[in-house]
């Protein structure tokens, strides 16, 4: 059964990118395309994001048929240059990576640490104790993503999935004003989804592709990604089911980042750990190995008097290093000098 909250202003807008319509999969019979649409797959990107096992279970067709549909879909996106071609010269990848989109954090120091900002087609995970600036970073990035490319933005909107009830439009208003931007316009380009349970979070995620396409979203935020799972799945007996659900969640998020070519910023909680590596860090990120292996970039935040320290702890292309930033009226900004 497909749930569609028609009362939402955003659901009245159909995806406007006809270039990903299922009708373009010319090797599929019309009745299969009809079945896929009836099962809630509205675009070729949806098929690639959900994958063959989800297609099979939702449509009620064999796994072989689903794999065929999936292969047709991914080949189509490869043809458009959205997904990488199956065999690509490394030199081509290198050239493409030089032009990859990035969203400014609001602080030059922090951007430099990340090689220019929060990268598209990837997951950037930020974790740290309470009050270290995770939510402030999310708010700031919602504003900066809307800037011109030359100013650290991607000229796109933000989708903010709020699981902790800490999204504050008045903070967006203040950050915009402090940066001489029109707060009304900035707020108009942020879509907020409040998630009340892990299942609700998964439902929101399954409907996010439509919003990303129709609202030209370039940054998707989860603040936080894991807290609802931690509060619902208590004790060792539920650990394996929690990890399975988180695994599916984070891999779906990664496929969304890549097929929609957007930046994903997710925050994570910490748990105490007496043996977690470098000096001064007695915390490690929650979520266990699943998060550790799935995030492209992991950033640890901690307090340093009036400033904050961001440390890049896992990255395929950065050494472990750290930098200072601060939280001010304009959101995340460069450090306050003593
Ligand atoms: P948890 O969600 O509780 O784990 O914390 P967090 O890491 O998300 O913390 P958050 O981003 O909410 O940061 C809170 C810090 O930002 C506090 O130290 C606040 O004082 C500071 N802060 C929030 N709003 C403002 C503001 O308008 N101006 C300034 N200067 N600081 C602010
Ligand atoms: Mg927070």
């Amino acid at each position: 059964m497909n749930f569609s909250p028609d009362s939402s202003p955003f659901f009245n807008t159909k995806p406007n990118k006809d270039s990903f319509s299922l009708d373009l999969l010319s090797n599929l019979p019309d009745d299969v395309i009809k079945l896929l649409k009836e099962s809630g797959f509205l675009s070729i990107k949806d098929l690639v994001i959900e994958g063959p096992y989800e297609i099979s279970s939702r449509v009620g067709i064999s796994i072989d048929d689903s794999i065929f549909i999936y292969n047709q879909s991914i080949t189509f996106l490869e043809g458009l240059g959205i997904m990488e071609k199956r065999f690509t010269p490394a030199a081509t990848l290198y050239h493409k990576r030089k032009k990859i989109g990035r969203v400014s954090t609001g602080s030059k120091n922090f951007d430099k640490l990340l090689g220019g900002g929060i990268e598209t087609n990837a997951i950037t995970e930020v974790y740290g104790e309470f009050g270290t600036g995770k939510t402030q970073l999310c708010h700031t990035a919602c504003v900066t993503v809307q800037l011109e490319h030359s100013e650290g933005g991607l000229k796109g909107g933000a989708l903010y999935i709020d699981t902790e009830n800490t999204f504050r439009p008045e903070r967006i208003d203040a950050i915009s004003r402090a940066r001489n931007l029109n707060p009304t316009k900035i707020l108009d380009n942020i879509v907020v989804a409040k998630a009340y349970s892990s299942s609700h979070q998964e439902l929101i995620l399954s409907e996010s592709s439509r919003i990303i396409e129709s609202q030209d979203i370039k940054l998707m935020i989860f603040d936080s990604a894991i807290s609802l799972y931690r509060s619902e799945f208590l004790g060792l007996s539920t650990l394996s089911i929690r990890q399975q659900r988180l695994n599916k969640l984070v891999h779906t998020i990664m496929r969304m980042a890549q097929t929609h070519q957007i930046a994903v910023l997710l925050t994570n909680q910490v748990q105490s750990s007496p043996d977690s590596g470098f000096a001064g860090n007695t915390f490690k990120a929650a979520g266990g190995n699943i998060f550790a292996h799935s995030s492209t970039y992991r950033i640890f935040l901690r307090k340093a008097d009036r400033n904050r320290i961001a440390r890049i702890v896992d990255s395929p292309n950065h050494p472990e290093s750290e930098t200072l930033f601060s939280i001010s009226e304009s959101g995340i900004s460069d450090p306050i000098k003593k």
Side-chain angles (χ1 to χ4, degrees):
M1 191 168 63
N2 294 312
F3 170 78
S4 177
D6 288 330
S7 56
S8 160
F10 298 108
F11 278 96
N12 296 329
T13 339
K14 290 238 156 48
N16 55 11
K17 304 267 167 68
D18 290 339
S19 32
F20 306 112
S21 159
L22 298 192
D23 299 315
L24 295 170
L25 294 175
S26 49
N27 286 341
L28 300 189
D30 289 349
D31 55 337
V32 171
I33 291 185
K34 188 164 169 276
L35 260 179
L36 288 166
K37 286 182 183 172
E38 285 169 0
S39 308
F41 294 101
L42 298 182
S43 90
I44 295 172
K45 286 182 175 179
D46 287 347
L47 295 170
V48 171
I49 289 166
E50 297 296 342
Y53 297 98
E54 187 70 21
I55 297 171
S56 169
S57 81
R58 263 165 64 180
V59 183
I61 54 177
S62 73
I63 191 67
D64 284 349
D65 286 346
S66 302
I67 290 173
F68 178 78
I69 293 168
Y70 177 78
N71 288 344
Q72 294 292 312
S73 307
I74 204 156
T75 304
F76 184 91
L77 295 189
E78 283 175 15
L80 289 179
I82 289 181
M83 308 298 284
E84 267 351 306
K85 291 243 180 323
R86 259 159 265 168
F87 303 99
T88 310
T92 308
L93 289 182
Y94 187 44
H95 183 67
K96 274 182 91 173
R97 275 201 55 80
K98 281 186 185 163
K99 292 195 289 186
I100 205 152
R102 292 172 198 277
V103 182
S104 172
T105 58
S107 149
K108 287 197 174 68
N109 274 6
F110 203 154
D111 286 350
K112 206 168 153 208
L113 182 82
L114 297 177
I118 305 160
E119 206 173 282
T120 51
N121 297 25
I123 296 180
T124 300
E125 176 195 348
V126 175
Y127 68 99
E129 247 192 312
F130 69 92
T132 46
K134 302 181 294 295
T135 298
Q136 295 304 310
L137 174 63
C138 295
H139 280 68
T140 311
C142 279
V143 176
T144 54
V145 69
Q146 300 187 37
L147 298 171
E148 297 286 336
H149 289 78
S150 58
E151 294 170 337
L154 295 173
K155 277 197 83 170
L159 170 59
Y160 198 118
I161 299 169
D162 178 15
T163 71
E164 298 185 341
N165 195 23
T166 49
F167 176 80
R168 293 290 178 274
E170 49 273 45
R171 192 68 189 107
I172 299 290
D173 182 286
I175 294 170
S176 307
R177 285 177 200 280
R179 291 173 181 268
N180 293 321
L181 300 166
N182 178 336
T184 314
K185 276 193 186 159
I186 298 287
L187 283 161
D188 270 349
N189 286 320
I190 304 171
V191 181
V192 183
K194 282 187 189 282
Y196 300 102
S197 67
S198 61
S199 310
H200 191 213
Q201 187 175 331
E202 288 161 18
L203 176 66
I204 287 169
L205 187 67
S206 73
E207 292 175 342
S208 292
S209 281
R210 291 167 68 187
I211 299 294
I212 291 168
E213 298 261 296
S214 65
Q215 305 301 309
D216 199 19
I217 299 293
K218 296 281 192 246
L219 170 70
M220 180 159 64
I221 286 170
F222 291 82
D223 187 21
S224 78
I226 190 177
S227 62
L228 294 169
Y229 293 83
R230 281 187 97 191
S231 65
E232 289 169 33
F233 296 91
L234 299 169
L236 268 183
S237 59
T238 61
L239 190 61
S240 101
I241 180 81
R242 181 188 93 166
Q243 292 310 85
Q244 276 173 31
R245 296 250 314 257
L246 273 175
N247 195 16
K248 186 169 177 221
L249 178 91
V250 79
H251 282 94
T252 306
I253 295 172
M254 181 56 105
R255 287 195 295 271
M256 288 181 81
Q258 290 173 327
T259 49
H260 292 298
Q261 300 179 299
I262 57 172
V264 174
L265 174 61
L266 53 86
T267 69
N268 193 1
Q269 299 171 326
V270 287
Q271 53 199 59
S272 291
S273 165
D275 59 356
S276 56
F278 55 90
N281 176 16
T282 52
F283 298 103
K284 65 176 185 179
N289 288 339
I290 289 186
F291 265 60
H293 294 308
S294 308
S295 300
T296 324
Y297 303 104
R298 301 197 103 183
I299 320 290
F300 174 62
L301 303 185
R302 66 186 197 274
K303 295 178 187 174
D305 297 326
R306 291 164 65 204
N307 290 318
R308 301 286 187 274
I309 296 170
R311 182 177 183 89
I312 193 155
V313 292
D314 190 12
S315 159
N317 53 318
H318 298 89
E320 270 208 38
S321 54
E322 59 186 36
T323 196
L324 271 182
F325 70 94
S326 78
I327 305 168
S328 69
E329 191 63 14
S330 62
I332 299 297
S333 44
D334 278 322
I336 302 161
K337 301 230 163 48
K338 280 186 192 166

